[in-house]
Amino acid sequence: MPSPSRPDLRDLARERILVLDGGYGTLLQQEGLVEEDFHGEGEPWESLREVTLKGNFDLLALTRPDVLAQVHRAYLAPAPTCSRPTPSPRPPSPRPTTRPATWPTR
C-alpha cells in the first residue's frame, strides 16, 4: 500500500525514469568476511578445503545466510524501490547447482 514515505512503484514510473541499481556487493565486501565464511561444514565441503572461495558471495546463501539477511536489510532500508542483485559471472562452486537434501549448512 502506497504511503507518503513509500510511494507505489507504478506511480513513480509514471512520473520519471527509475534506475534500479545498488552496491549490494560493496556492502558484502564491507562485512570483513574471511575465507572460512565461504566454506561450509561436513563431507561435501571437505574436497573444497584447499580451494579459495573468498569473494564468491553466492556461497554465502549456504554458509552465512545471517550475513546476507543483515546486508539485505541494510540495502533495502533506504530504498523506495528494489531490484535483485546481479548474479556472479562465475559458478558458485565446483559442486552441482542444485542443493541436495544432505547439503550441509553452517
Side-chain angles (χ1 to χ4, degrees):
M1 168 156 284
S3 70
S5 64
R6 190 168 279 234
D8 186 74
L9 180 60
R10 291 169 293 213
D11 293 338
L12 290 172
R14 283 185 202 102
E15 296 172 11
R16 60 184 176 265
I17 296 171
L18 302 178
V19 177
L20 303 176
D21 191 16
Y24 204 89
T26 303
L27 291 174
L28 286 168
Q29 290 173 354
Q30 293 173 352
E31 289 298 308
L33 299 168
V34 296
E35 183 67 32
E36 291 77 30
D37 292 312
F38 296 87
H39 287 270
E41 296 175 5
E43 186 274 322
W45 293 96
E46 291 305 316
S47 63
L48 299 174
R49 285 288 161 220
E50 301 303 316
V51 177
T52 301
L53 299 176
K54 184 177 178 182
N56 191 339
F57 296 121
D58 295 332
L59 291 175
L60 295 178
L62 299 173
T63 62
R64 292 296 307 271
D66 59 310
V67 172
L68 285 183
Q70 175 184 335
V71 168
H72 188 69
R73 283 190 294 275
Y75 181 80
L76 292 178
T81 60
C82 178
S83 174
R84 70 176 185 82
T86 306
S88 173
R90 60 186 165 183
S93 76
R95 295 280 175 198
T97 57
T98 57
R99 182 178 177 190
T102 59
W103 196 270
T105 57
R106 190 165 194 192

